Amino acid sequence: MRSRFKLSLSDMLRQHRRWERTLAKAVKITRKAVVSATSAPAPVPATVKPRAAARLEEVKAFGSNPGHLRMLRYVPQGLPKKSPLVVVLHGCHQTAEAYDQGSGWSTLARERGFAVVYAEQKRSNNANLCFNWFRPSNVARDRGEVMSIRQMVAKMAATHGIDRKRVFITGLSAGGAMTAAMLAAYPDVFRAGGIIAGLPYGAARDVQRALAAMKNAPQRTPRDWGDLVRAASSVKRDFPTVSIWHGTRDHTVSLSNAEALLQQWLDVHGLERDAFTQSAVDGHIRRVWKNAYGKVAVELYLIQGMGHGTPLKPRPASRVRADTPGPFMLDAGISSSMHLATAWGLKKPALLSALRQAAE
């Protein structure tokens, strides 16, 4: 009987082998392409602009806003409920966008999974865009600028369901002094704070005394400094953890203010001045005071040779931009933003970190 197949059995076997070789070659090429795509970024055509850095979004309505401040936020896409929140306060002559570009807080938020809210000063309140940390009407609980910032936290909680037990705050210079005021006025709101080149709460009550305090912190006993904080709020609870950062060559806000801040918060936490441990972090001095439970209550970073500004440690060009030097944003070989985020437990799971870095 004649076969209905046009090809002989030997021909069919030879064709099958050719298909096997072709398939194996295709699989090999595909594997190389996948490895290449995950190990190195693809070249960007000259006509395609690099992806712009995440921009802050303004929130117009967030309460009565007695301090007449602007609210700007950054919330990573898909941020789950019960995520942490970091409040950031810029320094004089700065804007929220400029400070975010320099400090990299929105980049850290995207990488590590938390929300950021910036309070921004208006020139109608202060011609130099400084927060009015020296005016009693702006730093008293439930009044002025501190109340506006508190309302921003409440808005973020209502809109994004942030974890109210994990709210942190940091700021530079006038923003650092306002950070101290927020920690004093609202110890029930903040778990911890980072004061960078700032001044102690209650250091001044008007512009003239503020300028004098910047040159040399007022002379008070540790108890007197601590009493100012204790009188700022009637709330009875554990006080927030405080991290103090200051450049040793800061000629805008004297280093004496770091010592006054230290005296203030050590007294608030009931800790002795000499009961610290010291270590070197990225070449700079770090001193730590722990409470009776062995947890860090106060820490001091002395940034050797740095002037007035936020200490940064820029990333390699191959990685997403963060810690970008600029006015009052200084490359000191240490990132205050990174260290504060880590100290506050704002860490990204290792697997998620590796996957996102591979995708960038």
Side-chain angles (χ1 to χ4, degrees), residues 92 125-128 130-138 145 199 203-216 218 252:
C92 298
N125 294 334
N126 187 295
N128 293 319
C130 306
F131 289 102
N132 292 302
W133 58 270
F134 46 84
R135 297 193 182 282
S137 60
N138 276 305
E145 292 178 11
L199 297 94
R205 297 179 61 85
D206 53 47
V207 174
Q208 287 72 28
R209 279 180 277 191
L211 293 173
M214 289 168 64
K215 293 181 179 179
N216 194 21
T252 301

Side-chain angles (χ1 to χ4, degrees), residues 120-168:
E120 185 177 88
Q121 185 59 281
K122 296 180 181 179
R123 291 198 184 278
S124 56
N125 294 334
N126 187 295
N128 293 319
L129 295 179
C130 306
F131 289 102
N132 292 302
W133 58 270
F134 46 84
R135 297 193 182 282
S137 60
N138 276 305
V139 296
R141 184 180 172 99
D142 296 341
R143 295 184 64 190
E145 292 178 11
V146 295
M147 181 59 174
S148 291
I149 299 170
R150 171 67 183 91
Q151 289 176 343
M152 295 178 195
V153 175
K155 178 68 174 182
M156 293 295 289
T159 306
H160 303 287
I162 62 166
D163 185 350
R164 291 179 180 268
K165 294 182 179 180
R166 290 190 293 166
V167 180
F168 309 92

Side-chain angles (χ1 to χ4, degrees), residues 48-291:
V48 178
K49 294 182 179 180
R51 182 177 59 184
R55 294 182 63 84
L56 305 178
E57 174 192 10
E58 183 172 6
V59 179
K60 294 289 188 179
F62 56 91
S64 60
N65 190 17
H68 307 291
L69 302 177
R70 292 182 70 208
M71 174 184 174
L72 299 98
R73 68 184 172 192
Y74 175 74
V75 181
Q77 186 175 4
L79 186 72
K81 301 291 185 181
K82 293 296 182 180
S83 292
L85 172 68
V86 175
V87 180
V88 187
L89 307 177
H90 61 80
C92 298
H93 305 288
Q94 291 181 318
T95 63
E97 286 280 2
Y99 194 83
D100 185 64
Q101 181 181 0
S103 64
W105 274 109
S106 63
T107 299
L108 287 174
R110 182 176 62 82
E111 292 179 342
R112 302 190 178 198
F114 59 89
V116 180
V117 64
Y118 278 85
E120 185 177 88
Q121 185 59 281
K122 296 180 181 179
R123 291 198 184 278
S124 56
N125 294 334
N126 187 295
N128 293 319
L129 295 179
C130 306
F131 289 102
N132 292 302
W133 58 270
F134 46 84
R135 297 193 182 282
S137 60
N138 276 305
V139 296
R141 184 180 172 99
D142 296 341
R143 295 184 64 190
E145 292 178 11
V146 295
M147 181 59 174
S148 291
I149 299 170
R150 171 67 183 91
Q151 289 176 343
M152 295 178 195
V153 175
K155 178 68 174 182
M156 293 295 289
T159 306
H160 303 287
I162 62 166
D163 185 350
R164 291 179 180 268
K165 294 182 179 180
R166 290 190 293 166
V167 180
F168 309 92
I169 186 169
T170 182
L172 164 68
S173 192
M178 187 58 83
T179 294
M182 293 299 297
L183 295 173
Y186 297 103
D188 51 327
V189 172
F190 299 100
R191 183 171 175 177
I195 304 170
I196 304 172
L199 297 94
Y201 177 69
R205 297 179 61 85
D206 53 47
V207 174
Q208 287 72 28
R209 279 180 277 191
L211 293 173
M214 289 168 64
K215 293 181 179 179
N216 194 21
Q219 294 295 313
R220 293 192 176 107
T221 67
R223 181 61 182 270
D224 288 341
W225 281 122
D227 283 345
L228 290 170
V229 172
R230 284 183 286 267
S233 172
S234 60
V235 175
K236 304 299 181 183
R237 57 151 289 161
D238 294 336
F239 282 95
T241 299
V242 177
S243 183
I244 302 165
W245 296 68
H246 218 106
T248 60
R249 293 187 180 178
D250 190 335
H251 301 302
T252 301
V253 176
S254 167
L255 185 60
S256 62
N257 284 284
E259 176 61 30
L261 274 165
L262 188 61
Q263 292 180 23
Q264 184 168 65
W265 289 99
L266 287 178
D267 186 77
V268 167
H269 283 279
L271 300 172
E272 296 296 327
R273 175 67 177 80
D274 297 329
F276 65 86
T277 58
Q278 180 170 310
S279 61
V281 179
D282 292 335
H284 302 283
I285 294 174
R286 179 189 182 227
R287 294 173 181 166
V288 174
W289 288 260
K290 295 184 178 180
N291 59 23

